[in-house]
Amino acid sequence: MDSIRNIYCVGRNYALHAKELGNDVPEEPMIFSKPTHALHPATGKLALPGSIGEIHYELEVVVRVGASYRPGMKVNELIDGIALGIDLTARDVQSKLKEKRHPWLLAKGFVGSAVLTEFTPFGGEAEFEALNFSLVKNDEVVQQGCPKDMIFPLQQLVDFIGSNMGLGAGDVIYTGTPAGVGPLADGDTLELRLVTGGNEATYGPLYVDMG
Protein backbone atom coordinates (compact mmCIF):
# COMPACT_ATOMS: atom_id res chain seq x y z
CA MET A 1 0.00 0.00 0.00
CA ASP A 2 2.96 2.32 0.46
CA SER A 3 3.32 2.58 -3.33
CA ILE A 4 -0.22 3.90 -3.85
CA ARG A 5 -0.28 7.55 -4.92
CA ASN A 6 -3.82 8.70 -5.64
CA ILE A 7 -7.11 7.04 -4.68
CA TYR A 8 -9.90 7.80 -7.13
CA CYS A 9 -13.44 6.58 -6.40
CA VAL A 10 -16.47 6.36 -8.65
CA GLY A 11 -19.87 7.22 -7.19
CA ARG A 12 -23.20 5.80 -8.34
CA ASN A 13 -21.76 3.48 -10.97
CA TYR A 14 -24.41 0.76 -10.50
CA ALA A 15 -28.02 1.74 -11.24
CA LEU A 16 -29.56 -0.32 -8.43
CA HIS A 17 -27.23 1.27 -5.87
CA ALA A 18 -28.18 4.76 -7.01
CA LYS A 19 -31.83 3.75 -6.73
CA GLU A 20 -31.51 2.29 -3.23
CA LEU A 21 -30.14 5.62 -1.95
CA GLY A 22 -32.74 7.65 -3.82
CA ASN A 23 -30.18 9.22 -6.18
CA ASP A 24 -30.42 9.95 -9.88
CA VAL A 25 -28.25 7.91 -12.23
CA PRO A 26 -25.42 10.24 -13.32
CA GLU A 27 -24.91 11.21 -16.97
CA GLU A 28 -21.12 11.17 -16.65
CA PRO A 29 -18.75 9.54 -14.13
CA MET A 30 -18.99 11.01 -10.64
CA ILE A 31 -15.45 11.04 -9.22
CA PHE A 32 -14.23 11.76 -5.70
CA SER A 33 -11.04 10.86 -3.86
CA LYS A 34 -9.72 9.65 -0.53
CA PRO A 35 -6.41 10.43 1.17
CA THR A 36 -3.87 7.62 1.36
CA HIS A 37 -4.22 7.80 5.18
CA ALA A 38 -7.59 6.10 4.63
CA LEU A 39 -6.00 2.87 3.38
CA HIS A 40 -6.45 -0.24 5.55
CA PRO A 41 -5.65 -3.89 4.75
CA ALA A 42 -8.61 -6.25 4.38
CA THR A 43 -7.69 -8.32 7.41
CA GLY A 44 -7.32 -7.93 11.16
CA LYS A 45 -8.90 -5.26 13.33
CA LEU A 46 -10.66 -2.37 11.60
CA ALA A 47 -10.93 0.49 14.09
CA LEU A 48 -13.63 2.99 13.07
CA PRO A 49 -14.86 6.25 14.66
CA GLY A 50 -18.13 5.14 16.24
CA SER A 51 -18.91 8.69 17.37
CA ILE A 52 -19.74 10.00 13.88
CA GLY A 53 -22.94 8.01 13.32
CA GLU A 54 -23.65 5.16 10.93
CA ILE A 55 -20.78 3.91 8.80
CA HIS A 56 -21.84 1.95 5.71
CA TYR A 57 -19.87 -0.64 3.77
CA GLU A 58 -19.63 -0.32 -0.03
CA LEU A 59 -17.80 -3.22 -1.69
CA GLU A 60 -15.98 -2.39 -4.92
CA VAL A 61 -13.57 -3.78 -7.48
CA VAL A 62 -10.35 -1.77 -7.45
CA VAL A 63 -7.88 -1.47 -10.33
CA ARG A 64 -4.27 -0.31 -10.19
CA VAL A 65 -2.69 1.88 -12.83
CA GLY A 66 0.71 0.73 -14.03
CA ALA A 67 1.66 3.45 -16.51
CA SER A 68 1.15 7.14 -17.23
CA TYR A 69 -2.11 7.80 -19.05
CA ARG A 70 -2.00 9.07 -22.60
CA PRO A 71 -5.10 9.82 -24.69
CA GLY A 72 -6.09 6.79 -26.72
CA MET A 73 -4.55 4.24 -24.34
CA LYS A 74 -6.52 1.06 -23.90
CA VAL A 75 -7.33 -0.43 -20.51
CA ASN A 76 -5.11 -3.43 -21.22
CA GLU A 77 -2.13 -1.09 -21.68
CA LEU A 78 -2.81 0.97 -18.57
CA ILE A 79 -4.10 -1.34 -15.81
CA ASP A 80 -1.76 -3.89 -14.21
CA GLY A 81 -3.58 -5.09 -11.08
CA ILE A 82 -6.98 -5.87 -9.60
CA ALA A 83 -8.18 -6.06 -6.00
CA LEU A 84 -11.28 -5.71 -3.87
CA GLY A 85 -11.92 -2.75 -1.65
CA ILE A 86 -14.52 -1.36 0.70
CA ASP A 87 -15.38 2.31 0.38
CA LEU A 88 -16.56 3.03 3.91
CA THR A 89 -18.96 5.96 4.16
CA ALA A 90 -20.04 7.93 7.22
CA ARG A 91 -23.62 8.09 6.00
CA ASP A 92 -25.01 10.52 8.60
CA VAL A 93 -22.11 12.89 7.96
CA GLN A 94 -22.57 12.56 4.21
CA SER A 95 -26.29 13.36 4.43
CA LYS A 96 -25.56 16.57 6.35
CA LEU A 97 -22.86 17.58 3.88
CA LYS A 98 -25.14 16.95 0.91
CA GLU A 99 -27.86 19.12 2.50
CA LYS A 100 -25.34 21.97 2.70
CA ARG A 101 -23.99 21.19 -0.81
CA HIS A 102 -20.54 20.68 0.70
CA PRO A 103 -17.89 18.22 -0.55
CA TRP A 104 -18.04 14.65 0.81
CA LEU A 105 -14.46 14.36 2.05
CA LEU A 106 -15.31 14.26 5.76
CA ALA A 107 -17.71 11.38 5.09
CA LYS A 108 -15.39 9.46 2.79
CA GLY A 109 -11.84 10.19 3.86
CA PHE A 110 -11.56 9.23 7.52
CA VAL A 111 -8.78 6.89 8.68
CA GLY A 112 -9.61 3.30 7.71
CA SER A 113 -12.25 4.24 5.15
CA ALA A 114 -10.43 2.67 2.18
CA VAL A 115 -10.16 -1.05 2.88
CA LEU A 116 -8.06 -2.82 0.25
CA THR A 117 -6.99 -6.40 -0.45
CA GLU A 118 -3.72 -7.37 -2.09
CA PHE A 119 -3.55 -6.92 -5.86
CA THR A 120 -3.44 -9.75 -8.39
CA PRO A 121 -2.47 -9.40 -12.08
CA PHE A 122 -5.03 -7.77 -14.35
CA GLY A 123 -6.29 -10.34 -16.84
CA GLY A 124 -7.68 -7.95 -19.42
CA GLU A 125 -10.93 -6.07 -19.91
CA ALA A 126 -12.96 -9.13 -20.94
CA GLU A 127 -11.95 -11.07 -17.83
CA PHE A 128 -12.63 -7.99 -15.69
CA GLU A 129 -16.19 -7.69 -16.96
CA ALA A 130 -16.84 -11.40 -16.30
CA LEU A 131 -15.67 -11.52 -12.69
CA ASN A 132 -18.00 -11.72 -9.72
CA PHE A 133 -17.45 -10.27 -6.26
CA SER A 134 -19.26 -10.40 -2.94
CA LEU A 135 -19.11 -9.20 0.66
CA VAL A 136 -19.90 -11.54 3.54
CA LYS A 137 -20.91 -9.98 6.86
CA ASN A 138 -21.27 -12.30 9.84
CA ASP A 139 -21.46 -15.34 7.49
CA GLU A 140 -24.20 -13.78 5.34
CA VAL A 141 -23.71 -12.46 1.79
CA VAL A 142 -24.84 -8.83 1.90
CA GLN A 143 -23.48 -7.56 -1.42
CA GLN A 144 -22.64 -9.12 -4.74
CA GLY A 145 -21.97 -7.73 -8.15
CA CYS A 146 -20.35 -7.99 -11.57
CA PRO A 147 -18.54 -5.18 -13.44
CA LYS A 148 -20.56 -5.84 -16.59
CA ASP A 149 -23.40 -4.07 -14.74
CA MET A 150 -21.43 -0.85 -14.26
CA ILE A 151 -23.04 2.23 -15.81
CA PHE A 152 -19.65 3.52 -16.96
CA PRO A 153 -17.30 0.73 -18.12
CA LEU A 154 -13.66 0.65 -17.18
CA GLN A 155 -12.40 2.19 -20.43
CA GLN A 156 -14.73 5.16 -20.03
CA LEU A 157 -13.63 5.60 -16.40
CA VAL A 158 -9.91 5.69 -17.19
CA ASP A 159 -10.46 8.04 -20.13
CA PHE A 160 -12.54 10.40 -17.99
CA ILE A 161 -10.19 10.40 -15.00
CA GLY A 162 -7.04 10.40 -17.10
CA SER A 163 -8.09 13.33 -19.28
CA ASN A 164 -9.51 15.43 -16.44
CA MET A 165 -7.25 14.67 -13.47
CA GLY A 166 -4.41 12.54 -14.79
CA LEU A 167 -3.45 8.95 -14.08
CA GLY A 168 -0.04 7.54 -13.34
CA ALA A 169 1.66 4.44 -12.04
CA GLY A 170 0.56 3.74 -8.50
CA ASP A 171 -2.87 5.35 -8.78
CA VAL A 172 -5.88 3.18 -7.91
CA ILE A 173 -9.55 3.41 -8.89
CA TYR A 174 -12.44 2.15 -6.76
CA THR A 175 -14.88 1.45 -9.59
CA GLY A 176 -18.22 1.73 -7.74
CA THR A 177 -20.46 -0.38 -5.55
CA PRO A 178 -23.49 -2.52 -6.39
CA ALA A 179 -26.73 -2.50 -4.40
CA GLY A 180 -26.87 -3.86 -0.87
CA VAL A 181 -24.90 -1.29 1.10
CA GLY A 182 -25.67 -1.07 4.80
CA PRO A 183 -24.40 -0.13 8.26
CA LEU A 184 -21.63 -1.75 10.24
CA ALA A 185 -21.86 -2.55 13.93
CA ASP A 186 -19.23 -3.13 16.57
CA GLY A 187 -18.12 -6.77 16.44
CA ASP A 188 -19.10 -7.40 12.81
CA THR A 189 -16.88 -9.78 10.84
CA LEU A 190 -16.31 -9.17 7.11
CA GLU A 191 -14.91 -11.29 4.29
CA LEU A 192 -14.42 -10.24 0.67
CA ARG A 193 -14.74 -12.77 -2.15
CA LEU A 194 -13.60 -12.52 -5.75
CA VAL A 195 -14.30 -15.04 -8.52
CA THR A 196 -12.25 -14.50 -11.67
CA GLY A 197 -11.17 -16.85 -14.42
CA GLY A 198 -12.87 -19.75 -12.62
CA ASN A 199 -10.83 -19.19 -9.45
CA GLU A 200 -12.21 -17.94 -6.14
CA ALA A 201 -10.22 -15.93 -3.61
CA THR A 202 -11.38 -15.00 -0.11
CA TYR A 203 -9.87 -12.09 1.82
CA GLY A 204 -10.20 -11.42 5.53
CA PRO A 205 -11.53 -11.79 8.05
CA LEU A 206 -11.83 -8.16 9.03
CA TYR A 207 -13.07 -7.41 12.56
CA VAL A 208 -14.99 -4.18 13.07
CA ASP A 209 -14.24 -2.14 16.19
CA MET A 210 -16.41 0.96 16.49
CA GLY A 211 -14.42 2.30 19.43
Side-chain angles (χ1 to χ4, degrees):
M1 291 188 183
D2 291 341
S3 63
I4 292 176
R5 299 196 321 164
N6 296 301
I7 304 171
Y8 294 109
C9 304
V10 184
R12 305 179 193 172
N13 201 22
Y14 288 77
L16 291 180
H17 170 58
K19 182 178 179 180
E20 74 179 345
L21 294 184
N23 295 319
D24 294 332
V25 174
E27 296 182 359
E28 65 178 10
M30 180 183 295
I31 308 300
F32 60 95
S33 64
K34 291 176 180 271
T36 54
H37 297 293
L39 288 166
H40 191 287
T43 187
K45 176 182 174 182
L46 176 62
L48 298 175
S51 61
I52 62 175
E54 283 196 352
I55 295 177
H56 284 204
Y57 53 81
E58 300 187 13
L59 180 68
E60 316 203 1
V61 180
V62 182
V63 296
R64 183 180 62 200
V65 178
S68 295
Y69 175 82
R70 302 185 310 276
M73 286 187 77
K74 298 301 182 183
V75 164
N76 293 353
E77 302 174 83
L78 188 69
I79 302 301
D80 72 355
I82 186 172
L84 290 180
I86 305 176
D87 164 21
L88 292 171
T89 304
R91 193 69 73 197
D92 295 335
V93 174
Q94 185 188 42
S95 296
K96 293 176 182 178
L97 292 171
K98 288 168 68 174
E99 288 176 3
K100 297 177 181 179
R101 298 184 181 275
H102 287 182
W104 296 355
L105 186 57
L106 286 174
K108 291 285 194 176
F110 55 90
V111 173
S113 64
V115 173
L116 188 63
T117 70
E118 61 190 58
F119 281 91
T120 59
F122 181 69
E125 189 172 17
E127 183 176 295
F128 174 82
E129 292 183 350
L131 66 81
N132 289 274
F133 60 103
S134 58
L135 179 67
V136 180
K137 184 178 78 166
N138 303 331
D139 298 322
E140 177 185 356
V141 175
V142 291
Q143 271 192 290
Q144 50 189 348
C146 178
K148 66 178 178 57
D149 296 324
M150 295 194 311
I151 297 169
F152 305 106
L154 189 56
Q155 185 67 56
Q156 187 173 355
L157 293 180
V158 299
D159 287 337
F160 184 87
I161 298 171
S163 61
N164 285 284
M165 286 159 278
L167 281 171
D171 292 345
V172 299
I173 304 171
Y174 282 61
T175 59
T177 192
V181 304
L184 292 172
D186 188 57
D188 282 346
T189 299
L190 304 174
E191 288 187 341
L192 300 78
R193 296 177 181 172
L194 176 66
V195 179
T196 178
N199 298 312
E200 180 174 348
T202 299
Y203 303 95
L206 194 61
Y207 303 101
V208 177
D209 181 352
M210 301 295 286

